[in-house]
Amino acid sequence: MDGSKVKTEAAAAQNTSRIAAVELAVSKMLRIGIYVAAAVIIIGLLWLLITGEGGYPKDTYPTSFMGIINGVADWKPVAVIEAGLLLLILTPVLRVFVSLFVFLQEKDYRFVAITALVLVILIISFALGKAG
């Protein structure tokens, strides 16, 4: 067997191993994100059920990112529930963001472009959702 072919196969095996390690780390990140979001939602929900008050006047709730953060800082149960939902939404977005850097490190520019496009679409959808 040719020496350069052996080196190429070894490099490919090392690359595959590294990609598997990154995928495992991303998988753990997603699981932790889901658990944290679920815990925050449950805490807010239990708090709401125990106190019977959401912390806001009837039929009102925070509708902006800063409103949620301020509500959590003021210990309002509805804001805590919304913070958990926000974490739940942002967890896969974080996965796309991390993938962008993984593909950059791998110098797989085709997937960098695709991932960047997905991230831009997500950002635009969040902006349009806030506007609409």
Side-chain angles (χ1 to χ4, degrees), residues 27-121:
S27 172
K28 285 180 182 176
M29 180 190 72
L30 287 172
R31 261 187 268 137
I32 290 170
I34 297 299
Y35 292 147
V36 169
V40 170
I41 291 170
I42 289 170
I43 289 169
L45 186 60
L46 289 175
W47 191 1
L48 176 68
L49 292 173
I50 290 170
T51 62
E53 293 184 21
Y56 294 95
K58 191 173 187 171
D59 295 334
T60 60
Y61 50 87
T63 57
S64 68
F65 184 72
M66 287 309 297
I68 293 171
I69 290 176
N70 289 335
V72 170
D74 292 339
W75 297 103
K76 296 182 176 182
V78 170
V80 172
I81 293 170
E82 288 186 353
L85 293 173
L86 196 60
L87 286 172
L88 192 63
I89 292 169
L90 291 179
T91 298
V93 175
L94 181 62
R95 195 270 190 259
V96 173
F97 189 72
V98 169
S99 294
L100 182 68
F101 288 101
V102 169
F103 291 135
L104 267 174
Q105 188 180 19
E106 297 292 325
K107 296 182 178 160
D108 191 344
Y109 298 114
R110 182 174 46 163
F111 281 102
V112 168
I114 292 169
T115 307
L117 179 65
V118 169
L119 193 58
V120 167
I121 290 170

